[in-house]
Amino acid sequence: MIRKSLILALVLAFGALFAVQASGDTFTEKDVERWMEQYKKVAQEGRALWTSPELGTNGVACAQCHPNGANTHPETYPKFQKQLGKVVPIREMINWCIQNPLEGEPLKLDDPKMTAIEAYLNWERRGVKLEPGKH
Amino acid sequence: MIVNNPNRRGFLKTTGLVAATLPFTQVKLAWAGAHPDINIAYISDSHIQQIKGAKFVRNWDRGLIRAVAETNLLDPQPDFVVFGGDLAQLGKKSELDHGAEMMSKLRAPVKYVMGEHDFYLDMGRYWEKLFGPQWYSWDHKGVHFVVLNSILTYDEWVNKWPSDVERMNQMAGLDNPNGSPFMVGEAQRKWLEKDLSKVSKDTPVVVFSHSPLQKIFKNWNFWTEDAEQLQKMLGRFSNVNVIYGHVHQIQYNRIGNINFHSVMATAWPWPYPESYAQAESHLPVLTVPMNRADPFHERDATGWQLIDVHTGRPTLKYNLYNNENRIVGPNDKGVPEDRTYAKRTTPPQKHY
Ligand SMILES: [Fe+2]
Ligand SMILES: [Fe+2]
């Protein structure tokens, strides 16, 4: 008797669990589109930052040296940077270029601008296979 | 033929710190008597950029100042210096004036080529006041030299912007999808046709342009829209050569009889087109690319070059600040080649 009710409780519990999962699984094409739009909006903000002098103090923009985000290789990060002496996320290298060629102040690593820049760089590198650690 | 002979007399004065670090030696061939020496220093793409008032971007200023100082140490001085275009970043009077002031320190005479960054604010008017006509030619020691303005574009594009500043900003973005392809255009092609009609087929011809006069990569305007027409006009000469700026990297090619060479920028290097994964590009297969630039060395992959044209076929000696220097010149068949620099085998040459 005790065992029976335990099994029943378990079944009910699993049922509840499945029910929750089922509703989580019901996203639609429309949701997918909306999420992609959200991503692209942020990537576009990244592109705007990429081509503007706003990140620095000397009027220079990232795009001047990195057209289409080329030569930033987001697919290789985190990786060892000889000059920094350790394995770093791309955000550290983004900050390095902000501080040096752009003579600017580094961004906080979770600054929405940082996210936007990374989103843009990944977009320009879409389809390129991951090459962790590659120099 | 590229000859690198340490016994030949040094080209640079060996006094002074900078000269002591410069490895160039003047290259002369055994039969140099038949072909007089012609040496050209080539400085390009300085992108002098105003921040505000009398403040300019230090990095770009330093590149041009260094190139000018080193060129002044050449002994003997070159026949002339070419400035390959993009003296300014946004075509402003303040930028052109500041650049011209730095260039005025040169001891040798200077020939100027128009770049898109000099042009699209006022369609070249102030530049003309400072430096003269946008296209011209002259003969020097048996070689016919031509300067073209190859960064013109369609009138429709020129006239569609609400302001001159907006037009300049749009053209200044290398990867801007709202830009427009470069061209020499009909009027100038007609002028060139006439100019070349006076030149005999076996006279060496050297053309200086800002854009490549060949089609390499449309996205970044490593491109000239009427390249085929120009190549056809130039192709009738047996010894004809194009030297161009704009690409901020070493490139070389041969199409028909025409040797193509690019020069480096004094301001900053650009990635090779193949490093943009989303578009097709055609870097000439002959080209052994420069090593990837190290951003931790501000002047890496920037510099100036000494060009020896005494046979008509140019040999370019690239003065690389943080890398091995390179010499690109005609091989036994007259085709551009870099004999001493390794093929694309070392990791830094792999651009991706
Ligand atoms: Fe340039
Ligand atoms: Fe240019």
Side-chain angles (χ1 to χ4, degrees), chain A residues 47 58-60 64-65 67-68 70-71 73 75-76 83 93 96 124-126 128 134-135, chain B residues 49 51 57-58 60 89 174-175 220 268 270-271 275-278 292 294-296 352:
Chain A
R47 167 72 187 177
N58 60 1
V60 175
Q64 266 172 263
C65 295
N68 291 111
N71 262 357
H73 308 124
E75 77 283 5
T76 65
Q83 300 85 348
M93 223 17 230
W96 191 89
E124 291 283 30
R125 286 301 264 182
R126 66 196 179 277
V128 177
K134 181 175 173 179
H135 184 76
Chain B
Q49 184 174 353
I51 301 168
V57 175
R58 179 197 49 78
W60 318 153
Q89 171 64 12
L174 188 73
D175 60 356
W220 300 345
W268 67 78
W270 264 327
S275 52
Y276 185 46
Q278 312 301 336
R292 272 170 54 202
D294 179 351
F296 290 75
Y352 67 99

mmCIF file of all heavy atoms in Angstrom, chain A residues 47 58-60 64-65 67-68 70-71 73 75-76 83 93 96 124-126 128 134-135, chain B residues 49 51 57-58 60 89 174-175 220 268 270-271 275-278 292 294-296 352:
data_model
loop_
_atom_site.group_PDB
_atom_site.id
_atom_site.type_symbol
_atom_site.label_atom_id
_atom_site.label_comp_id
_atom_site.label_asym_id
_atom_site.label_seq_id
_atom_site.Cartn_x
_atom_site.Cartn_y
_atom_site.Cartn_z
ATOM 1 N N ARG A 47 28.135 46.978 -34.614
ATOM 2 C CA ARG A 47 28.681 47.535 -35.859
ATOM 3 C C ARG A 47 28.771 49.066 -35.762
ATOM 4 O O ARG A 47 29.744 49.666 -36.219
ATOM 5 C CB ARG A 47 27.789 47.121 -37.040
ATOM 6 C CG ARG A 47 28.038 47.867 -38.338
ATOM 7 C CD ARG A 47 29.344 47.485 -39.011
ATOM 8 N NE ARG A 47 29.609 48.341 -40.166
ATOM 9 C CZ ARG A 47 30.711 48.277 -40.904
ATOM 10 N NH1 ARG A 47 31.656 47.396 -40.620
ATOM 11 N NH2 ARG A 47 30.887 49.087 -41.917
ATOM 12 N N ASN A 58 40.662 59.583 -29.479
ATOM 13 C CA ASN A 58 41.449 60.239 -30.526
ATOM 14 C C ASN A 58 40.766 60.221 -31.894
ATOM 15 O O ASN A 58 41.407 60.469 -32.911
ATOM 16 C CB ASN A 58 42.845 59.602 -30.620
ATOM 17 C CG ASN A 58 42.778 58.120 -30.958
ATOM 18 O OD1 ASN A 58 41.691 57.584 -31.144
ATOM 19 N ND2 ASN A 58 43.922 57.480 -31.056
ATOM 20 N N GLY A 59 39.475 59.913 -31.915
ATOM 21 C CA GLY A 59 38.746 59.954 -33.178
ATOM 22 C C GLY A 59 38.917 58.714 -34.032
ATOM 23 O O GLY A 59 38.276 58.585 -35.070
ATOM 24 N N VAL A 60 39.755 57.783 -33.594
ATOM 25 C CA VAL A 60 40.004 56.578 -34.393
ATOM 26 C C VAL A 60 38.904 55.552 -34.111
ATOM 27 O O VAL A 60 38.406 55.461 -32.989
ATOM 28 C CB VAL A 60 41.405 55.996 -34.077
ATOM 29 C CG1 VAL A 60 41.642 54.686 -34.805
ATOM 30 C CG2 VAL A 60 42.492 57.009 -34.438
ATOM 31 N N GLN A 64 38.717 51.262 -38.904
ATOM 32 C CA GLN A 64 39.819 51.802 -39.703
ATOM 33 C C GLN A 64 40.887 50.732 -39.952
ATOM 34 O O GLN A 64 41.438 50.657 -41.042
ATOM 35 C CB GLN A 64 40.448 53.019 -39.000
ATOM 36 C CG GLN A 64 39.859 54.335 -39.470
ATOM 37 C CD GLN A 64 40.338 55.524 -38.656
ATOM 38 O OE1 GLN A 64 39.646 55.955 -37.739
ATOM 39 N NE2 GLN A 64 41.494 56.069 -38.962
ATOM 40 N N CYS A 65 41.186 49.940 -38.942
ATOM 41 C CA CYS A 65 42.198 48.879 -39.094
ATOM 42 C C CYS A 65 41.573 47.502 -39.313
ATOM 43 O O CYS A 65 42.251 46.594 -39.802
ATOM 44 C CB CYS A 65 43.089 48.814 -37.863
ATOM 45 S SG CYS A 65 44.093 50.279 -37.620
ATOM 46 N N PRO A 67 38.535 46.347 -41.185
ATOM 47 C CA PRO A 67 37.330 46.402 -42.012
ATOM 48 C C PRO A 67 36.554 45.084 -41.897
ATOM 49 O O PRO A 67 37.162 44.013 -41.855
ATOM 50 C CB PRO A 67 37.877 46.594 -43.438
ATOM 51 C CG PRO A 67 39.311 46.167 -43.388
ATOM 52 C CD PRO A 67 39.772 46.451 -41.989
ATOM 53 N N ASN A 68 35.224 45.187 -41.794
ATOM 54 C CA ASN A 68 34.382 44.004 -41.599
ATOM 55 C C ASN A 68 34.820 43.167 -40.391
ATOM 56 O O ASN A 68 34.620 41.937 -40.377
ATOM 57 C CB ASN A 68 34.358 43.117 -42.857
ATOM 58 C CG ASN A 68 33.609 43.766 -44.019
ATOM 59 O OD1 ASN A 68 34.194 44.149 -45.014
ATOM 60 N ND2 ASN A 68 32.303 43.897 -43.876
ATOM 61 N N ALA A 70 37.578 42.146 -39.724
ATOM 62 C CA ALA A 70 38.613 41.178 -40.116
ATOM 63 C C ALA A 70 39.817 41.257 -39.195
ATOM 64 O O ALA A 70 40.108 42.307 -38.616
ATOM 65 C CB ALA A 70 39.040 41.421 -41.569
ATOM 66 N N ASN A 71 40.510 40.167 -39.062
ATOM 67 C CA ASN A 71 41.693 40.060 -38.188
ATOM 68 C C ASN A 71 41.372 40.205 -36.712
ATOM 69 O O ASN A 71 42.213 40.665 -35.947
ATOM 70 C CB ASN A 71 42.764 41.098 -38.566
ATOM 71 C CG ASN A 71 43.837 40.481 -39.445
ATOM 72 O OD1 ASN A 71 43.808 39.293 -39.723
ATOM 73 N ND2 ASN A 71 44.779 41.289 -39.884
ATOM 74 N N HIS A 73 39.404 37.412 -35.280
ATOM 75 C CA HIS A 73 39.427 35.972 -34.992
ATOM 76 C C HIS A 73 38.682 35.555 -33.726
ATOM 77 O O HIS A 73 39.263 34.877 -32.871
ATOM 78 C CB HIS A 73 40.882 35.501 -34.906
ATOM 79 C CG HIS A 73 41.701 35.886 -36.106
ATOM 80 N ND1 HIS A 73 42.874 36.620 -36.024
ATOM 81 C CD2 HIS A 73 41.524 35.646 -37.424
ATOM 82 C CE1 HIS A 73 43.367 36.817 -37.222
ATOM 83 N NE2 HIS A 73 42.573 36.238 -38.099
ATOM 84 N N GLU A 75 36.694 33.272 -33.282
ATOM 85 C CA GLU A 75 36.550 31.809 -33.195
ATOM 86 C C GLU A 75 37.747 31.139 -32.525
ATOM 87 O O GLU A 75 37.745 29.929 -32.324
ATOM 88 C CB GLU A 75 36.322 31.225 -34.607
ATOM 89 C CG GLU A 75 37.562 31.109 -35.504
ATOM 90 C CD GLU A 75 38.020 32.425 -36.125
ATOM 91 O OE1 GLU A 75 37.447 33.481 -35.802
ATOM 92 O OE2 GLU A 75 38.964 32.384 -36.957
ATOM 93 N N THR A 76 38.785 31.932 -32.199
ATOM 94 C CA THR A 76 39.994 31.333 -31.608
ATOM 95 C C THR A 76 40.082 31.579 -30.096
ATOM 96 O O THR A 76 40.993 31.083 -29.450
ATOM 97 C CB THR A 76 41.257 31.915 -32.266
ATOM 98 O OG1 THR A 76 41.347 33.316 -31.955
ATOM 99 C CG2 THR A 76 41.237 31.722 -33.771
ATOM 100 N N GLN A 83 51.747 38.827 -25.431
ATOM 101 C CA GLN A 83 52.072 40.102 -24.793
ATOM 102 C C GLN A 83 51.371 40.282 -23.452
ATOM 103 O O GLN A 83 51.772 41.102 -22.641
ATOM 104 C CB GLN A 83 51.715 41.269 -25.724
ATOM 105 C CG GLN A 83 52.436 41.247 -27.048
ATOM 106 C CD GLN A 83 51.735 40.359 -28.085
ATOM 107 O OE1 GLN A 83 50.827 39.595 -27.755
ATOM 108 N NE2 GLN A 83 52.147 40.456 -29.336
ATOM 109 N N MET A 93 41.219 41.503 -25.336
ATOM 110 C CA MET A 93 41.905 42.028 -26.524
ATOM 111 C C MET A 93 41.141 43.221 -27.091
ATOM 112 O O MET A 93 41.726 44.179 -27.595
ATOM 113 C CB MET A 93 42.021 40.902 -27.551
ATOM 114 C CG MET A 93 43.330 40.732 -28.287
ATOM 115 S SD MET A 93 44.808 41.489 -27.675
ATOM 116 C CE MET A 93 45.341 42.289 -29.182
ATOM 117 N N TRP A 96 42.196 45.933 -25.015
ATOM 118 C CA TRP A 96 43.571 46.330 -25.329
ATOM 119 C C TRP A 96 43.584 47.310 -26.508
ATOM 120 O O TRP A 96 44.260 48.342 -26.478
ATOM 121 C CB TRP A 96 44.444 45.106 -25.644
ATOM 122 C CG TRP A 96 45.891 45.484 -25.708
ATOM 123 C CD1 TRP A 96 46.778 45.502 -24.667
ATOM 124 C CD2 TRP A 96 46.603 45.967 -26.872
ATOM 125 N NE1 TRP A 96 48.011 45.964 -25.112
ATOM 126 C CE2 TRP A 96 47.930 46.254 -26.456
ATOM 127 C CE3 TRP A 96 46.261 46.185 -28.206
ATOM 128 C CZ2 TRP A 96 48.902 46.731 -27.336
ATOM 129 C CZ3 TRP A 96 47.219 46.665 -29.080
ATOM 130 C CH2 TRP A 96 48.530 46.936 -28.645
ATOM 131 N N GLU A 124 30.236 38.692 -38.283
ATOM 132 C CA GLU A 124 31.137 38.773 -39.446
ATOM 133 C C GLU A 124 31.903 37.459 -39.649
ATOM 134 O O GLU A 124 32.378 37.181 -40.739
ATOM 135 C CB GLU A 124 32.137 39.930 -39.280
ATOM 136 C CG GLU A 124 31.522 41.329 -39.362
ATOM 137 C CD GLU A 124 31.187 41.788 -40.777
ATOM 138 O OE1 GLU A 124 30.879 40.926 -41.641
ATOM 139 O OE2 GLU A 124 31.220 43.014 -41.025
ATOM 140 N N ARG A 125 32.031 36.655 -38.595
ATOM 141 C CA ARG A 125 32.768 35.383 -38.701
ATOM 142 C C ARG A 125 31.836 34.181 -38.785
ATOM 143 O O ARG A 125 32.290 33.035 -38.619
ATOM 144 C CB ARG A 125 33.692 35.208 -37.501
ATOM 145 C CG ARG A 125 34.900 36.095 -37.545
ATOM 146 C CD ARG A 125 35.759 35.887 -38.764
ATOM 147 N NE ARG A 125 36.880 34.988 -38.530
ATOM 148 C CZ ARG A 125 37.772 34.703 -39.479
ATOM 149 N NH1 ARG A 125 37.662 35.228 -40.684
ATOM 150 N NH2 ARG A 125 38.759 33.878 -39.220
ATOM 151 N N ARG A 126 30.524 34.428 -39.024
ATOM 152 C CA ARG A 126 29.598 33.291 -39.038
ATOM 153 C C ARG A 126 30.052 32.252 -40.068
ATOM 154 O O ARG A 126 30.553 32.592 -41.135
ATOM 155 C CB ARG A 126 28.170 33.779 -39.325
ATOM 156 C CG ARG A 126 27.951 34.360 -40.717
ATOM 157 C CD ARG A 126 26.652 35.172 -40.764
ATOM 158 N NE ARG A 126 26.444 35.743 -42.100
ATOM 159 C CZ ARG A 126 26.997 36.868 -42.530
ATOM 160 N NH1 ARG A 126 27.824 37.560 -41.725
ATOM 161 N NH2 ARG A 126 26.750 37.315 -43.745
ATOM 162 N N VAL A 128 32.546 30.300 -39.887
ATOM 163 C CA VAL A 128 33.950 29.908 -39.731
ATOM 164 C C VAL A 128 34.039 28.938 -38.552
ATOM 165 O O VAL A 128 33.453 29.195 -37.508
ATOM 166 C CB VAL A 128 34.841 31.145 -39.458
ATOM 167 C CG1 VAL A 128 36.285 30.732 -39.219
ATOM 168 C CG2 VAL A 128 34.753 32.123 -40.637
ATOM 169 N N LYS A 134 43.933 28.922 -31.483
ATOM 170 C CA LYS A 134 44.763 29.158 -32.673
ATOM 171 C C LYS A 134 45.323 30.583 -32.677
ATOM 172 O O LYS A 134 44.614 31.532 -32.367
ATOM 173 C CB LYS A 134 43.913 28.936 -33.934
ATOM 174 C CG LYS A 134 44.677 29.137 -35.227
ATOM 175 C CD LYS A 134 43.818 28.779 -36.432
ATOM 176 C CE LYS A 134 44.527 29.134 -37.729
ATOM 177 N NZ LYS A 134 43.729 28.777 -38.914
ATOM 178 N N HIS A 135 46.586 30.701 -33.072
ATOM 179 C CA HIS A 135 47.120 32.049 -33.210
ATOM 180 C C HIS A 135 47.140 32.461 -34.670
ATOM 181 O O HIS A 135 47.559 31.714 -35.513
ATOM 182 C CB HIS A 135 48.537 32.189 -32.637
ATOM 183 C CG HIS A 135 48.993 33.623 -32.714
ATOM 184 N ND1 HIS A 135 48.532 34.581 -31.843
ATOM 185 C CD2 HIS A 135 49.796 34.253 -33.578
ATOM 186 C CE1 HIS A 135 49.062 35.742 -32.169
ATOM 187 N NE2 HIS A 135 49.827 35.591 -33.220
ATOM 188 N N GLN B 49 44.955 62.697 -39.459
ATOM 189 C CA GLN B 49 43.579 62.782 -38.944
ATOM 190 C C GLN B 49 43.497 63.797 -37.826
ATOM 191 O O GLN B 49 44.173 63.656 -36.804
ATOM 192 C CB GLN B 49 43.161 61.381 -38.455
ATOM 193 C CG GLN B 49 41.731 61.270 -37.984
ATOM 194 C CD GLN B 49 41.338 59.818 -37.654
ATOM 195 O OE1 GLN B 49 42.103 58.874 -37.906
ATOM 196 N NE2 GLN B 49 40.159 59.639 -37.096
ATOM 197 N N ILE B 51 41.986 65.588 -34.671
ATOM 198 C CA ILE B 51 41.099 65.271 -33.554
ATOM 199 C C ILE B 51 40.258 66.508 -33.249
ATOM 200 O O ILE B 51 39.031 66.474 -33.259
ATOM 201 C CB ILE B 51 41.900 64.838 -32.306
ATOM 202 C CG1 ILE B 51 42.767 63.597 -32.641
ATOM 203 C CG2 ILE B 51 40.961 64.552 -31.136
ATOM 204 C CD1 ILE B 51 43.790 63.271 -31.575
ATOM 205 N N VAL B 57 45.919 62.771 -34.722
ATOM 206 C CA VAL B 57 46.200 61.431 -34.187
ATOM 207 C C VAL B 57 47.717 61.200 -34.201
ATOM 208 O O VAL B 57 48.352 61.237 -35.250
ATOM 209 C CB VAL B 57 45.480 60.335 -35.000
ATOM 210 C CG1 VAL B 57 45.888 58.941 -34.507
ATOM 211 C CG2 VAL B 57 43.964 60.521 -34.919
ATOM 212 N N ARG B 58 48.263 60.982 -33.021
ATOM 213 C CA ARG B 58 49.718 60.875 -32.868
ATOM 214 C C ARG B 58 50.302 59.732 -33.701
ATOM 215 O O ARG B 58 51.318 59.890 -34.376
ATOM 216 C CB ARG B 58 50.042 60.661 -31.380
ATOM 217 C CG ARG B 58 51.518 60.513 -31.053
ATOM 218 C CD ARG B 58 51.720 59.902 -29.679
ATOM 219 N NE ARG B 58 50.896 58.702 -29.518
ATOM 220 C CZ ARG B 58 51.209 57.501 -30.037
ATOM 221 N NH1 ARG B 58 52.327 57.332 -30.683
ATOM 222 N NH2 ARG B 58 50.377 56.474 -29.885
ATOM 223 N N TRP B 60 49.368 58.251 -36.490
ATOM 224 C CA TRP B 60 49.499 58.474 -37.936
ATOM 225 C C TRP B 60 50.563 59.541 -38.225
ATOM 226 O O TRP B 60 51.309 59.428 -39.185
ATOM 227 C CB TRP B 60 48.166 58.890 -38.580
ATOM 228 C CG TRP B 60 46.890 58.212 -38.189
ATOM 229 C CD1 TRP B 60 45.639 58.770 -38.247
ATOM 230 C CD2 TRP B 60 46.669 56.853 -37.738
ATOM 231 N NE1 TRP B 60 44.676 57.861 -37.826
ATOM 232 C CE2 TRP B 60 45.277 56.680 -37.509
ATOM 233 C CE3 TRP B 60 47.507 55.759 -37.464
ATOM 234 C CZ2 TRP B 60 44.713 55.486 -37.053
ATOM 235 C CZ3 TRP B 60 46.947 54.564 -37.000
ATOM 236 C CH2 TRP B 60 45.577 54.443 -36.810
ATOM 237 N N GLN B 89 42.753 62.061 -43.701
ATOM 238 C CA GLN B 89 41.758 61.039 -43.370
ATOM 239 C C GLN B 89 40.379 61.458 -43.864
ATOM 240 O O GLN B 89 39.657 60.663 -44.448
ATOM 241 C CB GLN B 89 41.751 60.785 -41.856
ATOM 242 C CG GLN B 89 40.615 59.891 -41.347
ATOM 243 C CD GLN B 89 40.665 58.469 -41.869
ATOM 244 O OE1 GLN B 89 41.651 58.029 -42.455
ATOM 245 N NE2 GLN B 89 39.584 57.733 -41.681
ATOM 246 N N LEU B 174 36.110 51.972 -45.386
ATOM 247 C CA LEU B 174 36.595 51.015 -46.386
ATOM 248 C C LEU B 174 35.563 49.926 -46.660
ATOM 249 O O LEU B 174 35.352 49.523 -47.797
ATOM 250 C CB LEU B 174 37.892 50.377 -45.890
ATOM 251 C CG LEU B 174 38.608 49.500 -46.915
ATOM 252 C CD1 LEU B 174 39.255 50.368 -47.978
ATOM 253 C CD2 LEU B 174 39.648 48.600 -46.264
ATOM 254 N N ASP B 175 34.907 49.462 -45.574
ATOM 255 C CA ASP B 175 33.986 48.329 -45.708
ATOM 256 C C ASP B 175 32.535 48.785 -45.770
ATOM 257 O O ASP B 175 31.632 48.000 -45.528
ATOM 258 C CB ASP B 175 34.193 47.369 -44.538
ATOM 259 C CG ASP B 175 33.937 48.050 -43.183
ATOM 260 O OD1 ASP B 175 33.675 49.273 -43.161
ATOM 261 O OD2 ASP B 175 34.005 47.355 -42.152
ATOM 262 N N TRP B 220 36.331 46.097 -50.335
ATOM 263 C CA TRP B 220 37.200 47.122 -49.748
ATOM 264 C C TRP B 220 37.781 48.027 -50.831
ATOM 265 O O TRP B 220 38.794 48.703 -50.597
ATOM 266 C CB TRP B 220 38.330 46.470 -48.929
ATOM 267 C CG TRP B 220 37.852 45.627 -47.798
ATOM 268 C CD1 TRP B 220 36.588 45.609 -47.263
ATOM 269 C CD2 TRP B 220 38.610 44.666 -47.047
ATOM 270 N NE1 TRP B 220 36.530 44.696 -46.236
ATOM 271 C CE2 TRP B 220 37.749 44.103 -46.078
ATOM 272 C CE3 TRP B 220 39.937 44.230 -47.095
ATOM 273 C CZ2 TRP B 220 38.177 43.128 -45.175
ATOM 274 C CZ3 TRP B 220 40.349 43.270 -46.187
ATOM 275 C CH2 TRP B 220 39.470 42.727 -45.237
ATOM 276 N N TRP B 268 48.674 52.614 -41.006
ATOM 277 C CA TRP B 268 48.342 51.312 -40.394
ATOM 278 C C TRP B 268 48.218 50.280 -41.511
ATOM 279 O O TRP B 268 47.937 50.627 -42.648
ATOM 280 C CB TRP B 268 47.022 51.404 -39.602
ATOM 281 C CG TRP B 268 45.831 51.631 -40.478
ATOM 282 C CD1 TRP B 268 45.164 50.704 -41.242
ATOM 283 C CD2 TRP B 268 45.128 52.877 -40.708
ATOM 284 N NE1 TRP B 268 44.109 51.285 -41.930
ATOM 285 C CE2 TRP B 268 44.070 52.611 -41.608
ATOM 286 C CE3 TRP B 268 45.299 54.178 -40.221
ATOM 287 C CZ2 TRP B 268 43.192 53.616 -42.041
ATOM 288 C CZ3 TRP B 268 44.418 55.163 -40.677
ATOM 289 C CH2 TRP B 268 43.387 54.878 -41.557
ATOM 290 N N TRP B 270 46.467 46.866 -43.417
ATOM 291 C CA TRP B 270 45.148 46.247 -43.520
ATOM 292 C C TRP B 270 45.273 44.742 -43.615
ATOM 293 O O TRP B 270 46.284 44.228 -44.128
ATOM 294 C CB TRP B 270 44.408 46.780 -44.752
ATOM 295 C CG TRP B 270 43.505 47.904 -44.403
ATOM 296 C CD1 TRP B 270 42.822 48.082 -43.231
ATOM 297 C CD2 TRP B 270 43.189 49.036 -45.224
ATOM 298 N NE1 TRP B 270 42.107 49.268 -43.270
ATOM 299 C CE2 TRP B 270 42.312 49.853 -44.480
ATOM 300 C CE3 TRP B 270 43.543 49.419 -46.502
ATOM 301 C CZ2 TRP B 270 41.786 51.038 -44.980
ATOM 302 C CZ3 TRP B 270 43.026 50.596 -46.997
ATOM 303 C CH2 TRP B 270 42.155 51.406 -46.239
ATOM 304 N N PRO B 271 44.213 44.054 -43.149
ATOM 305 C CA PRO B 271 44.185 42.595 -43.324
ATOM 306 C C PRO B 271 44.177 42.259 -44.816
ATOM 307 O O PRO B 271 43.726 43.070 -45.624
ATOM 308 C CB PRO B 271 42.853 42.181 -42.701
ATOM 309 C CG PRO B 271 42.282 43.371 -42.020
ATOM 310 C CD PRO B 271 42.971 44.577 -42.550
ATOM 311 N N SER B 275 41.023 37.340 -45.306
ATOM 312 C CA SER B 275 40.651 37.238 -43.905
ATOM 313 C C SER B 275 39.199 37.690 -43.660
ATOM 314 O O SER B 275 38.725 37.616 -42.533
ATOM 315 C CB SER B 275 41.628 38.000 -43.008
ATOM 316 O OG SER B 275 41.785 39.308 -43.472
ATOM 317 N N TYR B 276 38.518 38.161 -44.698
ATOM 318 C CA TYR B 276 37.076 38.383 -44.560
ATOM 319 C C TYR B 276 36.337 37.172 -45.132
ATOM 320 O O TYR B 276 36.377 36.921 -46.348
ATOM 321 C CB TYR B 276 36.635 39.669 -45.264
ATOM 322 C CG TYR B 276 35.169 39.954 -45.020
ATOM 323 C CD1 TYR B 276 34.637 39.849 -43.734
ATOM 324 C CD2 TYR B 276 34.312 40.299 -46.056
ATOM 325 C CE1 TYR B 276 33.287 40.077 -43.497
ATOM 326 C CE2 TYR B 276 32.960 40.542 -45.817
ATOM 327 C CZ TYR B 276 32.459 40.427 -44.534
ATOM 328 O OH TYR B 276 31.129 40.644 -44.291
ATOM 329 N N ALA B 277 35.688 36.445 -44.234
ATOM 330 C CA ALA B 277 35.153 35.121 -44.606
ATOM 331 C C ALA B 277 33.880 35.183 -45.451
ATOM 332 O O ALA B 277 33.494 34.183 -46.041
ATOM 333 C CB ALA B 277 34.890 34.309 -43.339
ATOM 334 N N GLN B 278 33.226 36.359 -45.535
ATOM 335 C CA GLN B 278 31.893 36.387 -46.144
ATOM 336 C C GLN B 278 31.892 36.828 -47.607
ATOM 337 O O GLN B 278 30.838 36.999 -48.191
ATOM 338 C CB GLN B 278 30.965 37.320 -45.350
ATOM 339 C CG GLN B 278 30.972 37.109 -43.854
ATOM 340 C CD GLN B 278 30.562 35.696 -43.451
ATOM 341 O OE1 GLN B 278 29.870 35.000 -44.187
ATOM 342 N NE2 GLN B 278 31.017 35.264 -42.286
ATOM 343 N N ARG B 292 51.532 38.758 -40.625
ATOM 344 C CA ARG B 292 50.467 39.428 -39.875
ATOM 345 C C ARG B 292 51.071 40.446 -38.921
ATOM 346 O O ARG B 292 52.116 40.218 -38.331
ATOM 347 C CB ARG B 292 49.658 38.395 -39.107
ATOM 348 C CG ARG B 292 48.514 37.832 -39.940
ATOM 349 C CD ARG B 292 47.859 36.646 -39.283
ATOM 350 N NE ARG B 292 47.427 36.939 -37.938
ATOM 351 C CZ ARG B 292 47.210 35.993 -37.015
ATOM 352 N NH1 ARG B 292 47.406 34.735 -37.316
ATOM 353 N NH2 ARG B 292 46.801 36.330 -35.816
ATOM 354 N N ASP B 294 51.661 42.830 -35.736
ATOM 355 C CA ASP B 294 51.574 42.715 -34.289
ATOM 356 C C ASP B 294 51.130 44.059 -33.732
ATOM 357 O O ASP B 294 51.876 45.038 -33.775
ATOM 358 C CB ASP B 294 52.962 42.356 -33.740
ATOM 359 C CG ASP B 294 52.967 42.237 -32.223
ATOM 360 O OD1 ASP B 294 51.955 42.590 -31.594
ATOM 361 O OD2 ASP B 294 53.999 41.800 -31.678
ATOM 362 N N PRO B 295 49.905 44.139 -33.216
ATOM 363 C CA PRO B 295 49.411 45.457 -32.776
ATOM 364 C C PRO B 295 50.212 46.014 -31.607
ATOM 365 O O PRO B 295 50.137 47.205 -31.312
ATOM 366 C CB PRO B 295 47.966 45.168 -32.360
ATOM 367 C CG PRO B 295 47.920 43.713 -32.064
ATOM 368 C CD PRO B 295 48.958 43.056 -32.938
ATOM 369 N N PHE B 296 50.966 45.167 -30.938
ATOM 370 C CA PHE B 296 51.766 45.635 -29.803
ATOM 371 C C PHE B 296 53.000 46.426 -30.265
ATOM 372 O O PHE B 296 53.682 47.033 -29.464
ATOM 373 C CB PHE B 296 52.167 44.462 -28.899
ATOM 374 C CG PHE B 296 50.991 43.884 -28.132
ATOM 375 C CD1 PHE B 296 50.046 43.091 -28.765
ATOM 376 C CD2 PHE B 296 50.820 44.161 -26.785
ATOM 377 C CE1 PHE B 296 48.963 42.568 -28.074
ATOM 378 C CE2 PHE B 296 49.736 43.638 -26.078
ATOM 379 C CZ PHE B 296 48.798 42.847 -26.726
ATOM 380 N N TYR B 352 43.961 34.589 -42.007
ATOM 381 C CA TYR B 352 42.686 33.886 -41.985
ATOM 382 C C TYR B 352 41.637 34.717 -41.275
ATOM 383 O O TYR B 352 41.980 35.709 -40.657
ATOM 384 C CB TYR B 352 42.841 32.516 -41.312
ATOM 385 C CG TYR B 352 43.149 32.583 -39.836
ATOM 386 C CD1 TYR B 352 42.144 32.414 -38.886
ATOM 387 C CD2 TYR B 352 44.455 32.817 -39.380
ATOM 388 C CE1 TYR B 352 42.426 32.468 -37.532
ATOM 389 C CE2 TYR B 352 44.736 32.867 -38.032
ATOM 390 C CZ TYR B 352 43.721 32.699 -37.111
ATOM 391 O OH TYR B 352 44.012 32.772 -35.775
#
